[in-house]
């Protein structure tokens, strides 16, 4: 007869994702909100301000939409010659913008 498989019981509530028994909190690292501003370089503070700006978010959304339209248009049109070069340049620009966003 087959015996149903069962997982062993966890040894502490932490294994289940609960709080430790001593009441302390578990931290997997500091989030950007928790970092002390005095430990940040001027460049880091500038990057945070740029990324937090609504215009940055809106600009990234526009690039995503335009890039999506360009990909669809390129697949449908199968451009050749100069048009293919234009699509290639637009793709490289979008990829560069996405990389910069990722780095920030």
């Amino acid at each position: 007869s087959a015996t149903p498989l069962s997982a062993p019981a966890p040894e502490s509530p932490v294994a289940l994702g609960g709080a430790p028994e001593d009441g302390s909190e578990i931290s997997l690292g500091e989030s950007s909100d928790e970092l002390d501003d005095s430990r940040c370089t001027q460049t880091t503070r500038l990057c945070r301000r740029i990324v937090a700006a609504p215009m940055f978010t809106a600009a990234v959304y526009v690039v995503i939409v335009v890039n999506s339209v360009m990909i669809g248009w390129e697949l449908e049109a199968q451009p050749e010659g100069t048009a293919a070069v234009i699509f290639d340049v637009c793709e490289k620009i979008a990829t560069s913008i996405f990389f910069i966003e990722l780095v920030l």
Side-chain angles (χ1 to χ4, degrees):
S1 74
T3 308
L5 298 175
S6 62
E11 296 179 13
S12 72
V14 175
L16 293 174
E21 292 175 11
D22 63 1
S24 64
E25 293 185 19
I26 297 175
S27 176
L28 299 176
E30 297 175 289
S31 72
S32 60
D33 294 336
E34 295 172 344
L35 289 175
D36 183 12
D37 211 28
S38 65
R39 291 182 10 201
C40 297
T41 65
Q42 194 171 9
T43 305
T44 303
R45 284 191 291 271
L46 175 63
C47 289
R48 285 183 184 174
R49 280 189 291 171
I50 290 171
V51 171
M55 283 296 287
F56 179 81
T57 303
V60 170
Y61 288 159
V62 167
V63 171
I64 290 170
V65 170
V66 169
N67 188 48
S68 299
V69 169
M70 293 292 289
I71 289 170
W73 190 13
E74 182 180 18
L75 287 173
E76 187 67 31
Q78 299 285 324
E80 296 179 5
T82 306
V85 172
I86 292 171
F87 278 105
D88 190 47
V89 168
C90 290
E91 178 184 342
K92 291 196 180 0
I93 291 170
T95 302
S96 299
I97 292 170
F98 295 143
F99 178 74
I100 291 168
E101 176 197 17
L102 180 66
V103 169
L104 289 175

